[in-house]
Amino acid sequence: DLDRSRANMERWRWLPHDLGRVYIWNNLPEFMTRMVKDGVVVHEERIIVGQPHTQTPVFSNAMRQVVFQPEWGVPPSIKINDLLPKLQSGDYEVLKRRNMRIISLSGKELSPRRFRWHKTDIRDIGIYQRAGGGNPLGRVKFLFPNKHHVYMHDTNNRSLFGASERLFSHGCVRVRNPEHFAKVILAEDKGWSEKQVQELLDDWDKPNNRIDLDRPIPVHNVYFTLVPGENRTLVQLDDPYGHDARITKALDGVPFTRIAQNDPARNQQRELDEAAPP
């Protein structure tokens, strides 16, 4: 319809004029990632994106690292809603049971007993789960540093990729077959063979093994609910985050303050602020 077309055209205006000779295109409502080189799709795969209340943000940045056997930085929502109540009750073993640890800015491991959890904002504490089979990041993650602290990664629960609507994450983008994705990226950037990359995937003796890309690859998290179909047709997708509706209201002149009142990202931030100790 007209409103949906207007919203999608407006989002095109927000994209960089130059997407990059090689770039990664994550269309969130489509639950798909594509790697494009010289206008040709060289890799595509299913992805899982954030739930409606923990949405994957729409933005562009550049992938700079591939990390094998990554540690998982626990997100603020899990810190506050799950870990904090246990630590406040004196359950200091909760981190050990989950193979997690507290790491200071200087890289030193700290005991949870040294904190006064009723007065500490746990969002400011670096809590990480060690690499291993239970780690939700799986064997590899793809970093494009950004203020949202989101990235692309493997997962230890690949059964969810069978769902048609894949809204399951806390905001990051989970990739089906991330091993092949890593091979495609490192073949493009460094000319590495599949065997070289597989050796890195299999080497559990090097946790957080970071490989810097020589040429950062643009990553575009986009939100298009109208996509090209066969024979020059358009395919209409669902609007799981309600972005089309909000953009349409803005284009119709509704004040930003009214639209933002029900924004899920703002609501989540408000809930975290209220749950955190003063």
Side-chain angles (χ1 to χ4, degrees):
D1 58 29
L2 179 59
D3 284 342
R4 187 177 294 263
S5 299
R6 292 168 64 208
N8 279 266
M9 291 172 67
E10 180 67 15
R11 280 192 288 265
W12 271 110
R13 282 202 322 113
W14 302 343
L15 282 169
H17 178 71
D18 182 3
L19 299 177
R21 188 181 74 85
V22 178
Y23 63 88
I24 294 164
W25 183 264
N26 297 327
N27 190 17
L28 308 183
E30 197 178 7
F31 311 110
M32 292 292 295
T33 183
R34 294 176 178 88
M35 185 168 171
V36 180
K37 180 177 180 180
D38 296 326
V40 177
V41 176
V42 296
H43 173 74
E44 65 179 350
E45 189 52 273
R46 294 185 179 190
I47 56 175
I48 288 170
V49 302
Q51 303 168 71
H53 65 284
T54 56
Q55 298 177 6
T56 300
V58 177
F59 68 100
S60 295
N61 215 300
M63 184 181 296
R64 300 181 182 277
Q65 290 182 328
V66 178
V67 184
F68 296 95
Q69 284 62 255
E71 291 191 338
W72 177 48
V74 181
S77 58
I78 294 179
K79 288 180 183 178
I80 286 181
N81 298 323
D82 187 7
L83 296 179
L84 184 60
K86 295 178 176 61
L87 292 167
Q88 288 178 334
S89 69
D91 181 7
Y92 300 121
E93 297 299 310
V94 61
L95 300 183
K96 183 177 181 181
R97 290 197 303 272
R98 301 186 184 185
N99 203 23
M100 296 177 179
R101 57 181 178 164
I102 298 173
I103 302 295
S104 69
L105 292 177
S106 63
K108 181 181 179 182
E109 185 170 347
L110 304 176
S111 169
R113 298 178 181 273
R114 67 179 293 167
F115 295 91
R116 301 173 64 187
W117 292 109
H118 286 280
K119 295 186 176 182
T120 298
D121 191 338
I122 196 171
R123 292 173 294 182
D124 297 333
I125 307 300
I127 302 179
Y128 301 88
Q129 184 178 43
R130 294 178 174 87
N135 189 303
L137 302 187
R139 293 201 291 176
V140 59
K141 69 178 178 180
F142 309 88
L143 292 182
F144 37 105
N146 56 84
K147 66 179 182 180
H148 310 287
H149 305 293
V150 302
Y151 42 86
M152 302 174 73
H153 63 84
D154 186 9
T155 175
N156 59 0
N157 186 4
R158 297 191 182 182
S159 63
L160 296 177
F161 286 104
S164 57
E165 289 194 358
R166 295 182 286 278
L167 299 155
F168 301 116
S169 86
H170 284 86
C172 285
V173 177
R174 305 178 194 172
V175 185
R176 188 174 72 166
N177 199 356
E179 297 91 346
H180 183 65
F181 190 42
K183 292 171 182 176
V184 171
I185 290 171
L186 292 173
E188 170 64 32
D189 184 69
K190 298 183 181 299
W192 287 0
S193 68
E194 291 192 8
K195 181 180 178 181
Q196 286 175 287
V197 179
Q198 190 63 49
E199 289 174 352
L200 294 172
L201 286 163
D202 294 337
D203 187 359
W204 287 99
D205 293 330
K206 292 183 178 180
N208 267 348
N209 186 10
R210 296 172 179 260
I211 307 299
D212 293 326
L213 299 184
D214 296 325
R215 296 175 300 279
I217 300 174
V219 177
H220 306 289
N221 278 5
V222 299
Y223 193 94
F224 289 107
T225 55
L226 289 176
V227 297
E230 296 181 356
N231 301 320
R232 298 184 179 181
T233 59
L234 286 175
V235 176
Q236 182 171 306
L237 306 174
D238 289 338
D239 179 17
Y241 291 168
H243 288 342
D244 282 355
R246 282 188 285 275
I247 291 174
T248 298
K249 289 179 180 179
L251 293 174
D252 288 341
V254 177
F256 169 77
T257 52
R258 283 179 53 189
I259 299 172
Q261 285 177 351
N262 295 317
D263 179 70
R266 292 169 64 94
N267 291 340
Q268 183 194 26
Q269 186 61 52
R270 189 182 305 115
E271 291 171 1
L272 293 178
D273 290 340
E274 292 172 353

